[in-house]
Amino acid sequence: MLCFIRTLRPLTIYYYYKKDTKMSIITDYIEDNKGRFIDELIELLKIPSVSADSKYNADVLRTADAVKSYLEQAGADKVELLQTEGFPVVYGEKIIDASLPTVIVYGHYDVQPADPLNLWNSPPFEPVIKDGNIYARGAADDKGQFYMHVKAFELMNRTNTLACNIKFMIEGEEEVGSANLGPFLEKNKDRYKGDVILISDTSMIANDVPSLTVGLRGLSYVEVEVTGPNVDLHSGVYGGAVANPINVLCTMIASLHDENRHITIPGFYDNVIELTAEERAKMAEAPFSLDEYKKDLEVNDVLGEKGYSPVEHTSIRPTLDVNGIWGGYIGEGAKTVLPSKAYAKISMRLVPGQDPDEITELFSKHFKSIAPSSVKVEVRPHHGGKPVVTPTDTPEYKAAALAMKDAFGKDPIPQRGGGSIPIVALFEEVLGLKSVMMGFGLDSDAIHSPNEKYGIFNYLKGIETIPHFYRHYAELKK
Ligand code: BES
Ligand code: MN
Ligand code: MN
């Protein structure tokens, strides 16, 4: 029976290319199976695959197993868990014809911690559907998004319309920096021979304003420790004479931006590639409402680097943010203490031209240089990642744009994303492959925040768009 279907493939593909037939093969299959597609995603969302917290190690591994069996059920061959120094990568493939292009699907099955739990309207790992959205940690980032690819693959496989070879790389450490994935790529270069990486782990402008992500920011992440006296002291007996490391840390952090919100670290902007006036004008054409933005976030105003718009602040400009700060007494009531230590976690988003190792070095040197001699400062680098920009004149970008046009009825707008996916730069360096970032989330999906959600519209629209990508990509690569 299987052989019989195989021999029919050219015929099926012929009919598939006929305009209306190709649409209805996809939409009919989705219509017939959408309940199950949603149920399966819900099962996946129930497993708390938090990679940052070792308490969840067994759950992260359980998620890898679940992804493995879902890939098998969808019809992938050679499905296996590939070991890394950390959590495994789920592999699966379907090689239909060596002369066809090979698409490598990247995604991540790990999720961010769900804290603070008390701010969730329903428990993060007990998914609920409300107003057309699935609420759960990982719904949009990235379980709901990578799982669209598993279901689109199932659709193409079952309807005999797969137009390219496919290989999956679903990893479990993206949310902690993918440190083990670089060495993994080096080791698995041969296995991951292909033509392009396809990723859904970003957002689009709005459900009626489709967009494709053509850039990601890089990241330099550090933790700083400021030490004053060798022990916590009475703030009345010693305060005023001995440096309070929290006071000092706050002064140091405050000095990292000037009155124009420029970052003051010497050399920080030296290699930043500025956009031309034309490029900035083009960017400004994308729809954006400052009023709605402020209303959504309940802020009276925005605050960003002088001379740039909020869209630019969150895409083409580098930033420095304190992600956490602690020290001293934070329990109930008051304790008059002059603490011995103060800490902060600081991240810098980087743009093309900036190298994360160099920026970490510049930060470290500067931060130590501004410390008064009354404290000791340590800077500990965490993970980092390089920024990326992807060209729009390639077969993969064109195929993605055509696919979005097919599914949304509108040309997508190219836009630079503000977040980071550290492995994307390495796909190019190690595998020599460009990435297509075709994400279907929305900025309002609250990824990394309480009440993360993913629209069922977005989930099903993604499943619909992906098969169009394969068909256009195969055509354009001929
Ligand atoms: N999917 C996000 C990245 C993203 C989100 C890019 C929205 C563009 C738009 C990814 O899972 C993520 O959160 N990355 C981390 C980096 C990592 C090193 C923890 C980030 O951007 O903070
Ligand atoms: Mn993600
Ligand atoms: Mn994330």
Side-chain angles (χ1 to χ4, degrees), residues 108 110-112 141-142 174-175 201 420 447-448:
H108 61 93
D110 65 320
V111 301
Q112 282 278 319
D141 186 11
D142 180 40
E174 196 278 342
E175 298 294 7
D201 192 24
S420 312
I447 63 170
H448 296 206

Side-chain angles (χ1 to χ4, degrees), residues 74 91 113 126 131-132 149 153 177 182 210 219 239 246 282 286 301 334 360 369 377 386 420 445 456:
Y91 182 81
E126 294 172 27
D131 304 329
H149 290 268
F153 164 66
L219 188 67
I246 301 181
K282 186 97 196 93
D301 210 348
T360 303
S369 80
V377 171
K386 290 184 186 168
S420 312
D445 282 341
I456 288 174

